[in-house]
Amino acid sequence: MTEAAKPIRVALLGCGTVGTQIVRLLTEQADDLAARVGAPVELAGIAVRRANKPRPGVPAELLTTDAAGLVTRDDVDVVVEVIGGIEPTRDWLLTALKAGKSVVTANKALLAEHAGDLFAAADATGADLYFEAAVAGAIPLLRPLRESMAGDRITRVMGIVNGTTNFILSAMDETGAGYAEALDEASRLGYAEADPTADVEGYDAASKAAILASIAFHTRVTAGQVHREGITGVTAADVAAARALGRTIKLLAICERVEAGGDRPGEAVAVRVHPAMIPRSHPLAGVNGAFNAVFVEADAAGQLMFYGQGAGGAPTASAVLGDLVAVARNRVVGGRGPRESAYADLPVRPIAQAATRYHISLDVADRAGVLAAVAAVFAQHEVSIAAVRQEGRSSDASLVIVTHSAPDAALRSTVDKIAGLPFVHDVVSVMRVEGEEL
Amino acid sequence: MTEAAKPIRVALLGCGTVGTQIVRLLTEQADDLAARVGAPVELAGIAVRRANKPRPGVPAELLTTDAAGLVTRDDVDVVVEVIGGIEPTRDWLLTALKAGKSVVTANKALLAEHAGDLFAAADATGADLYFEAAVAGAIPLLRPLRESMAGDRITRVMGIVNGTTNFILSAMDETGAGYAEALDEASRLGYAEADPTADVEGYDAASKAAILASIAFHTRVTAGQVHREGITGVTAADVAAARALGRTIKLLAICERVEAGGDRPGEAVAVRVHPAMIPRSHPLAGVNGAFNAVFVEADAAGQLMFYGQGAGGAPTASAVLGDLVAVARNRVVGGRGPRESAYADLPVRPIAQAATRYHISLDVADRAGVLAAVAAVFAQHEVSIAAVRQEGRSSDASLVIVTHSAPDAALRSTVDKIAGLPFVHDVVSVMRVEGEEL
């Protein structure tokens, strides 16, 4: 590092929870960052919606409401974006990349829809595009997938990538509360946003799953291609049923390399987000609250796990600053970070063709022949039963069935048919099952 | 990627368990690797000790016994080293780097002693030096520490980084076997080498700890600066004592940012490898057999964990190939990987100044005044007692003491003095304690 190295100038878009932490770390760790980059890293400006809001620790003279102007300023080398949302953020980042500014973003929704456009704009000018903070907060996950495992063949990525839903499901499991009650608690404690839709309906996790699948399988996957089920339909009865089987319910993001199926030869990608029962002995079962954890399976590496804080100002800022050091260093010493790797271009297989195991819990009349009739419906739909448990309860009985892997469509038809049987009083719970065979 | 991109040519040093897997993956994944690198990756030659040994799947025409000649060949771009040992490997890699070849190595012992020389040689020619496989096998750990966390301040790294000792300690815990018996079992199953010294005496873990500390704290730390205690002194009594307290014994590598202490202001680095009792509820307690797991704590990121296979041919080859893709890509698109980052240059604090908690188990005479006398010795040496448990057993008694954090030297003096007390029949177990306070 030469003493006179030209500073790397950073435009920050957004100054909320994460942005404030970025400003703090850039200031407090200025000497360390300069040593690691090989040049000072300086804030050139901070774009906010309201410039006159008090922001302790944030230099007021850097604030501007003109994001579009800031990102193309001549004295800006790197744009760091922590605003979120699709528009107008997308426009600003495309403009920045086209102007040759490198971009570091935490914006999962944008990446999951428009990664192709953003990478193309970056390629046109040789700029860098980094987004470690977009998935699993502080956990180094995208860089290991993109770089450390670049010599391996990843077969599966499965994890808990949304803290809000994990908090709610943990609370339901611990207290027996219903979904609405647990959501209220999460809102009260600040774990759920005023409008929790993006989290509880699985949109946030689906965006992250799309990003993970794109990187793991070198194939462009968008959020719209991810099969998505949220947790709003998870009931106290589901949670109790899971508990009775030594299991717990987690919202999982699962990205798999699968056979294309149908009459297509070769491989495909299957990406899904849904609640599932997993064994309490599974490492993901112990991941509680705002923590995230992701399993990665690869041919040579075997099974890996990454664990850490999935959200929050400081953890997210840590991931952003790691990326910022990388792109700043690329500016100083030359070189570029990874570009989009979508050469494999595998088809994305629809969920209807996906096979998962299911747990079905029924309230049935307690009389002879019920199990035989129910089993016959499973057989008609070619859904194979792995285990059955039947318990009499005075006039009715509880019937719990766990299937072998079955296509989603076949299972849905089976359950529809069973629900209409005269001696079936209630379909208490239908839930996918992940983890080892029962 | 242009179709006519010039191939990246690789010299492989060593063709044992790991080397054979590297050859296999380079062949099987040739198309994927070419797409990810932007050019074909080809084997230029393989240096082995005996060229006429049968090696299924390895092209015989590539074998040579002339490693020194191979690493400087004009048609070689990258040297991959999986031989191990210090000499002559060090000479070959220095020669390669001085000739401008990038180097990927899995050699922890070499890195832990001579990283400075190797990085200097790499810097002189602009070559890359990567060594992800040197620590924790397939687990992406060094790249996250070097790059993903480059914007954060790491305070602690603690993990299980040696599979052999972990297998032995797991076996002792599960069966109640003594050390010798568990070592025999490990040897029989192929988990321990014919000469297990490097593993069981903690040399292997100390090398890895030195590498982790160097990267985490931007300070050159060599293996010789690591306080090292192996597991040969761990007894069945120690294991039983741990079990009685709801704990288990693991060989831990611990790298900490600490106060320099004494009359030196500022920070220092403390690095140690030793067996320690940890709570059975600690995530590291569940890491068994050949698996490795490493916790990282940083100011902004909080606590992270990385878990996966720590050794073996294919997992190690996965890490090597990830590095190979990175250096090959740097050759194709320009740019360089991280250089040595030792700017912080913190002092390494000797273990005598380090404070850890201890468990001490004594056989004492069962009579009044024993605890008072023992406690007085602790007080004389300014070692504070956190918990005591005394159990009478006919004529003698078991006295278990857990201390608050105490300097190593003070604890040693305390135990020496206590061992000489007339009513102390035996010092059954003295073991460090890690994890949360009791």
Side-chain angles (χ1 to χ4, degrees), chain B residues 357-425:
Chain B
R357 289 176 293 136
Y358 284 87
H359 158 277
I360 301 112
S361 179
L362 306 172
D363 269 357
V364 297
D366 189 8
R367 64 172 194 239
V370 167
L371 176 57
V374 168
V377 176
F378 277 87
Q380 279 163 27
H381 292 85
E382 298 189 345
V383 176
S384 172
I385 292 175
V388 170
R389 183 187 301 178
Q390 191 167 206
E391 277 169 26
R393 289 186 315 217
S394 65
S395 67
D396 62 356
S398 162
L399 183 58
V400 172
I401 296 151
V402 178
T403 73
H404 286 299
S405 277
D408 192 69
L411 193 281
R412 298 287 152 195
S413 306
T414 307
V415 172
D416 285 350
K417 185 75 174 285
I418 285 170
L421 294 175
F423 47 77
V424 172
H425 300 155

Side-chain angles (χ1 to χ4, degrees), chain A residues 201-282:
Chain A
E201 295 291 1
Y203 289 101
D204 175 83
S207 290
K208 291 164 175 171
I211 295 170
L212 289 171
S214 297
I215 293 174
F217 305 127
H218 302 272
T219 290
R220 200 178 289 169
V221 179
T222 60
Q225 294 175 295
V226 177
H227 173 79
R228 178 189 50 75
E229 300 167 26
I231 66 162
T232 56
V234 177
T235 64
D238 291 329
V239 172
R243 182 173 279 280
L245 288 167
R247 297 185 155 248
T248 186
I249 297 176
K250 294 290 186 184
L251 183 70
L252 300 180
I254 303 175
C255 315
E256 291 171 305
R257 188 187 288 272
V258 296
E259 288 178 20
D263 52 2
R264 304 181 69 157
E267 293 185 330
V269 169
V271 193
R272 50 198 163 96
V273 167
H274 55 68
M277 290 186 184
I278 60 172
R280 284 190 185 271
S281 59
H282 194 285

Side-chain angles (χ1 to χ4, degrees), chain B residues 14-358:
Chain B
C15 200
T17 313
V18 177
T20 308
Q21 291 296 319
I22 291 171
V23 173
R24 178 179 71 82
L25 292 170
L26 280 175
T27 309
E28 288 179 12
Q29 306 195 10
D31 291 347
D32 281 318
L33 294 172
R36 296 172 194 177
V37 167
V41 180
E42 297 177 358
L43 271 174
I46 305 172
V48 292
R49 196 172 297 177
R50 286 177 299 149
N52 54 354
K53 182 178 163 187
R55 303 172 195 271
V58 175
E61 68 278 14
L62 294 179
L63 297 175
T64 172
T65 54
D66 180 19
L70 177 62
V71 301
T72 54
R73 256 168 55 183
D74 284 346
D75 66 333
V76 165
D77 301 297
V78 180
V79 173
V80 171
E81 185 264 313
V82 289
I83 297 176
I86 305 287
E87 294 294 357
T89 314
R90 174 172 161 275
D91 259 357
W92 294 333
L93 297 190
L94 284 173
T95 303
L97 291 165
K98 285 171 185 168
K101 320 296 187 191
S102 289
V103 164
V104 175
T105 171
N107 194 327
K108 66 217 77 161
L110 181 60
L111 260 297
E113 288 298 341
H114 299 288
D117 297 345
L118 291 164
F119 272 116
D123 272 358
T125 59
D128 273 334
L129 174 63
Y130 276 71
F131 46 95
E132 180 67 75
V135 182
I139 309 173
L141 183 60
L142 303 190
R143 183 178 272 102
L145 288 177
R146 285 216 281 186
E147 303 182 44
S148 307
M149 305 188 72
D152 207 335
R153 184 173 168 277
I154 297 171
T155 51
R156 195 161 197 261
V157 179
M158 174 168 93
I160 295 170
V161 294
N162 180 275
T164 303
T165 50
N166 201 44
F167 179 91
I168 293 170
L169 292 172
S170 296
M172 290 174 71
D173 183 61
E174 282 158 25
T175 66
Y179 167 75
E181 193 184 336
L183 172 60
D184 283 349
E185 175 80 354
S187 303
R188 203 172 56 75
L189 296 173
Y191 287 105
E193 296 192 36
D195 177 0
T197 308
D199 292 316
V200 300
E201 295 291 2
Y203 288 101
D204 176 82
S207 290
K208 291 164 175 170
I211 295 170
L212 289 171
S214 297
I215 292 174
F217 305 128
H218 301 272
T219 291
R220 198 177 291 169
V221 179
T222 60
Q225 294 174 295
V226 177
H227 174 79
R228 177 188 51 75
E229 300 167 24
I231 65 162
T232 56
V234 177
T235 65
D238 291 329
V239 173
R243 182 173 278 280
L245 288 168
R247 296 185 156 249
T248 187
I249 297 175
K250 294 289 188 187
L251 183 70
L252 300 180
I254 303 174
C255 315
E256 291 171 305
R257 189 187 287 272
V258 296
E259 289 179 18
D263 50 2
R264 304 181 70 159
E267 293 186 329
V269 169
V271 192
R272 50 197 163 98
V273 167
H274 55 68
M277 290 186 184
I278 59 171
R280 284 191 184 271
S281 59
H282 193 285
L284 289 180
V287 177
N288 290 314
F291 276 85
N292 283 189
V294 177
F295 273 81
V296 178
E297 289 172 27
D299 276 354
Q303 195 173 66
L304 304 169
M305 188 179 77
F306 303 81
Y307 171 89
Q309 295 191 57
T316 306
S318 171
V320 168
L321 258 72
D323 281 355
L324 177 55
V325 167
V327 304
R329 195 176 159 282
N330 285 344
R331 297 257 153 182
V332 173
V333 304
R336 277 190 67 193
R339 297 158 67 182
E340 182 178 33
S341 179
Y343 71 88
D345 196 20
L346 300 174
V348 179
R349 197 175 67 175
I351 186 75
Q353 291 171 25
T356 64
R357 289 176 293 136
Y358 284 87

